[in-house]
Amino acid sequence: MAKLPRYLFPSDYMADPSANVFNGKLYIYPSHDREAGHAFDDDGGHFQMKDYHVLSFNDVENDEATDHGVILDVKDVAWAEKQMWDNDVVEKNGKYYLIFSAKDYNGVFHLGVAVADKPEGPFVAQEQPIRGSFSIDPCVFKDDDGEIYCYFGGLWGGQLQWYQAPAKLQKEGIDLGPAADKKTQLYAPADVPALPSFVVRMSDDVMQFAEAPHSVVILDKNGEPLKAGDPHRFFEASWMHKYNGKYYFSYSTGDSHFLCYAIGDTPYGPFTYQGVILDPVVGWTTHHSIVEYKGQWYLFYHDCVPSNDVTHLRSLKVQRLYYNEDGTIQKVVNE
């Protein structure tokens, strides 16, 4: 077999890989990093991605990626102004639905939907974002019964904390004092339950939420929610996959730079924390996906080695992923 990990598309900077298998072929839907000349800021304003490409492989271990070109550009999304961040694609009834995150003209992130007749696109965006949507990093997961769920949310620059704090904490009698601003989660008391991401079932036409979003609760081995001070709590980059009938919710911890996972019995959870999949890589963000292809499980992620640690110029990587007999995931060693 080929030596892994390896970079998947070294001729361009792409990140946040969402891996899916359609029609016997592996597709990667990444964000598309670029040097836009924006200075670094704490809210990720230097991540000025403006379009999406899709890459495909017949043999991910040996073949070079086929770039099918731009499948959606921000100029073709009526409601979005900028920052086309993470996205994912799901198939239903022969149509392909790209769920993506972008900022509107008020500087607020929402999720949008674009539709195509084939995995390679091009995708045509809906005129408006999904009603009631917010934040970033959508993962769309089709369960065995055909129901489709969207997992989403990212703290700090992803604005997730705007919708959960500080009002909720203050209502519970927790006084955050000067921390009661848009960066609440970073300064919340360590023993406060960590802010969760969300999961929502999609409508039959995959255009809207079919219900109010549910919190994705991650429990420790004692059945208690992970706390804000825990380095393994959720920050961004939700991903869902299923293995031997169990639901595996994996995510990035943000400033502690781990990829972690938790296991549950339903798409809604709760999920019990299991461990770290991948230690910190070069670069601030860690974002990934997990998929089985041709009998082998893979972890897709990114780092900033090729750009000499320029945090907004990231490159795609792939690594084989293995399970233990008890269903836990063997930790991946980045090389």
Side-chain angles (χ1 to χ4, degrees):
M1 290 190 291
K3 178 178 173 56
L4 296 183
R6 72 182 184 103
Y7 290 101
L8 293 177
F9 197 68
S11 61
D12 201 356
Y13 293 114
M14 297 190 184
D16 307 327
S18 295
N20 291 278
V21 179
F22 298 126
N23 307 321
K25 183 179 289 189
L26 180 69
Y27 292 88
I28 308 294
Y29 297 89
S31 59
H32 187 195
D33 286 351
R34 68 189 181 105
E35 185 55 83
H38 287 241
F40 173 89
D41 71 59
D42 282 348
D43 285 327
H46 48 303
F47 291 97
Q48 286 290 330
M49 298 88 94
K50 67 182 182 67
D51 61 31
Y52 297 124
H53 289 228
V54 58
L55 310 176
S56 69
F57 301 84
N58 288 313
D59 181 352
V60 69
E61 302 218 6
N62 297 292
D63 289 353
E64 293 304 315
T66 298
D67 180 8
H68 297 274
V70 175
I71 59 172
L72 185 66
D73 191 292
V74 69
K75 66 180 175 58
D76 298 319
V77 183
W79 62 267
E81 179 187 18
K82 59 184 178 180
Q83 289 178 284
M84 301 274 277
W85 285 12
D86 183 39
N87 72 95
D88 193 15
V89 172
V90 68
E91 179 274 336
K92 184 172 184 180
N93 296 332
K95 295 283 188 180
Y96 297 85
Y97 299 85
L98 184 150
I99 313 297
F100 63 96
S101 52
K103 273 185 180 175
D104 68 10
Y105 287 85
N106 294 312
V108 178
F109 273 114
H110 296 283
L111 305 184
V113 182
V115 187
D117 292 324
K118 55 185 180 178
E120 300 88 352
F123 287 80
V124 177
Q126 300 299 296
E127 289 292 316
Q128 298 293 331
I130 296 172
R131 292 189 299 272
S133 67
F134 53 93
S135 199
I136 62 168
D137 288 0
C139 162
V140 277
F141 167 75
K142 182 194 281 189
D143 207 349
D144 300 333
D145 61 2
E147 293 286 0
I148 293 171
Y149 300 85
C150 181
Y151 298 80
F152 66 94
L155 292 165
W156 200 352
Q159 303 176 352
L160 181 62
Q161 68 281 3
W162 291 9
Y163 302 89
Q164 304 185 83
K168 179 175 182 290
L169 298 178
Q170 291 174 333
K171 185 177 180 180
E172 295 171 355
I174 300 170
D175 183 9
L176 298 175
D181 61 16
K182 68 179 182 178
K183 297 178 182 176
T184 296
Q185 178 67 10
L186 299 181
Y187 306 106
D191 58 351
V192 171
L195 297 182
S197 59
F198 284 94
V199 56
V200 62
R201 183 170 52 84
M202 298 298 292
S203 59
D204 288 341
D205 62 3
V206 203
M207 295 294 183
Q208 301 292 339
F209 294 165
E211 59 186 355
H214 302 257
S215 295
V216 177
V217 178
I218 302 173
L219 306 174
D220 62 22
K221 294 300 176 65
N222 297 317
E224 296 294 325
L226 294 189
K227 301 299 192 293
D230 192 320
H232 305 116
R233 54 88 181 102
F234 172 84
F235 190 89
E236 61 185 6
S238 300
W239 187 259
M240 172 57 64
H241 76 279
K242 201 170 183 179
Y243 179 77
N244 285 350
K246 295 289 187 178
Y247 296 85
Y248 286 65
F249 177 73
S250 50
Y251 58 94
S252 172
T253 63
D255 52 343
S256 55
H257 311 298
F258 296 117
L259 286 180
C260 296
Y261 76 107
I263 299 177
D265 294 321
T266 78
Y268 295 108
F271 300 92
T272 301
Y273 176 78
Q274 301 295 318
V276 173
I277 299 173
L278 183 70
D279 283 335
V281 298
V282 174
W284 196 90
T285 66
T286 308
H287 199 121
H288 72 300
S289 58
I290 296 171
V291 71
E292 184 182 21
Y293 185 56
K294 295 184 176 180
Q296 174 64 58
W297 285 91
Y298 293 98
L299 172 71
F300 296 87
Y301 57 106
H302 62 237
D303 69 26
C304 299
V305 172
S307 67
N308 296 313
D309 201 11
V310 179
T311 59
H312 60 282
L313 297 177
R314 299 159 293 177
S315 295
L316 302 175
K317 296 184 81 171
V318 61
Q319 177 83 278
R320 297 187 195 99
L321 186 114
Y322 298 96
Y323 297 85
N324 297 309
E325 289 187 2
D326 63 358
T328 56
I329 295 174
Q330 296 181 18
K331 188 175 180 180
V332 171
V333 178
N334 187 43
E335 300 173 6

